[in-house]
Amino acid sequence: MDSAEPREPGATEPPARARPRLVFRTQLAHGSPTGRIEGFTNVRELYAKIAEAFGIAPTEILFCTLNSHKVDMQKLLGGQIGLEDFIFAHVRGETKEVEVTKTEDALGLTITDNGAGYAFIKRIKEGSIINRIEAVCVGDSIEAINDHSIVGCRHYEVAKMLRELPKSQPFTLRLVQPRRAFDMIGQRSRSSKCPVEAKVSSGRETLRLRSGGAATVEEAPSDVEAAAARRVDDLLESYMGIRDPELAAAVVETARSSAGAQAFARGLDAVLGEFAFPDEFVVEVWAAIGEAHDACG
């Protein structure tokens, strides 16, 4: 082994090469100037930074989309942000109440949440009970069920509450819709306040947000991991009535470090025990992840 080159007496260690600070561009989805934010490590801190940039309360933000100001659930911000992604924050708009009668076991709703206390509607099944109520839309935040506030509840808790409502008995949903662009017509100027579609980044590096610990810059998931996560997300919707790409990615990550199905089940209990996944779900997920790996070679 080569010996280290001798250093002059009193010489100091050369400074470590610092990674350039990460600054993200952001707008309010209904129209605003462009802001710049940095220094966040999880979704709650991200919302706080966006709120500070625009002089609003963090609780005004329902969810964020990446590279589109539209209520597009395919562009929903999860736990990863591309280093060149443009962040659009969707804030509280009008509140509305609807009465629903549960004539079938399933309402036809798929629930997700923003990681900061708000659960909202990600998908409405065609032909379902909810689909027949025109006032209910994708992107609506569920604020209360029968006047019982569910702010602060996770998506799986809200989905469980809705599943357990008795059939043939009406109940009330209090919903908050995202603020629409036309709400700002009188205040917008063509030059600075119209939302713009941002160029989608083609880079592979992403900022991975974490509920505990510092955010890290990582390579984007491989094609195999992305395919496996999509299959897990489909199973989450089928079994639990929720969609959550970050939860699906965490399940795939647990599977990757497991030697077999039993080890995988124990790993899920240890890391994600709060979700109380049923045994048949765990079996199907293990099989689906294996199929995704086989399909992608």
Side-chain angles (χ1 to χ4, degrees):
M1 179 185 294
D2 293 337
S3 60
E5 187 175 332
R7 194 177 292 116
E8 292 292 327
T12 58
E13 290 281 347
R17 187 178 178 184
R19 174 180 287 275
R21 65 179 187 172
L22 302 178
V23 180
F24 293 86
R25 293 170 299 155
T26 183
Q27 281 187 352
L28 301 180
H30 61 272
S32 77
T34 297
R36 284 172 171 75
I37 55 173
E38 61 180 301
F40 53 88
T41 194
N42 56 47
V43 172
R44 288 183 184 274
E45 290 180 8
L46 167 63
Y47 284 14
K49 292 288 186 180
I50 294 173
E52 182 181 0
F54 296 112
I56 61 176
T59 52
E60 287 292 301
I61 301 173
L62 297 180
F63 56 86
C64 294
T65 50
L66 299 177
N67 305 309
S68 175
H69 70 279
K70 299 174 183 177
V71 179
D72 183 346
M73 294 295 107
Q74 301 303 313
K75 303 290 182 67
L76 199 63
L77 181 146
Q80 290 187 324
I81 308 172
L83 299 190
E84 296 179 18
D85 281 345
F86 199 113
I87 304 169
F88 290 91
H90 299 254
V91 302
R92 294 172 63 93
E94 293 183 3
T95 300
K96 53 193 176 184
E97 288 199 355
V98 295
E99 186 175 276
V100 184
T101 300
K102 192 175 181 182
T103 55
E104 305 167 22
D105 290 331
L107 292 169
L109 281 179
T110 299
I111 310 296
T112 191
D113 64 42
N114 68 355
Y118 289 148
F120 57 94
I121 298 169
K122 187 169 186 179
R123 183 180 294 181
I124 298 174
K125 185 177 180 181
E126 191 171 346
S128 65
I129 296 169
I130 293 297
N131 186 232
R132 295 192 287 270
I133 303 174
E134 290 187 6
V136 182
C137 302
V138 168
D140 286 350
S141 172
I142 304 175
E143 192 169 67
I145 302 171
N146 285 334
D147 290 327
H148 172 69
S149 173
I150 56 95
V151 174
C153 294
R154 292 299 313 274
H155 45 27
Y156 66 93
E157 296 173 312
V158 177
K160 185 172 183 286
M161 291 177 205
L162 293 171
R163 280 199 306 271
E164 292 177 348
L165 289 169
K167 287 175 65 174
S168 304
Q169 186 173 322
F171 66 93
T172 302
L173 288 176
R174 184 161 73 242
L175 306 169
V176 179
Q177 68 182 31
R179 190 170 184 179
R180 310 295 183 186
F182 57 73
D183 291 343
M184 291 287 288
I185 287 174
Q187 303 173 46
R188 280 173 32 189
S189 67
R190 289 180 58 189
S191 61
S192 65
K193 298 212 177 179
C194 293
V196 295
E197 293 293 320
K199 182 180 179 181
V200 179
S201 168
S202 58
R204 295 289 294 175
E205 282 194 319
T206 65
L207 182 68
R208 176 81 177 268
L209 304 179
R210 301 181 185 279
S211 56
T216 54
V217 175
E218 301 178 357
E219 286 292 309
S222 67
D223 292 342
V224 172
E225 290 169 332
R230 286 193 295 271
R231 294 194 184 206
V232 174
D233 207 21
D234 289 341
L235 288 170
L236 285 171
E237 182 173 29
S238 176
Y239 275 87
M240 302 177 69
I242 64 174
R243 289 194 81 88
D244 187 334
E246 278 310 298
L247 175 58
V251 170
V252 172
E253 198 171 300
T254 303
R256 190 174 57 208
S257 59
S258 301
Q262 290 187 338
F264 173 57
R266 290 193 297 270
L268 285 182
D269 283 341
V271 179
L272 301 168
E274 64 180 302
F275 292 95
F277 296 125
D279 291 343
E280 57 270 27
F281 169 82
V282 176
V283 171
E284 279 209 52
V285 163
W286 180 256
I289 291 173
E291 289 168 4
H293 277 264
D294 292 343
C296 293

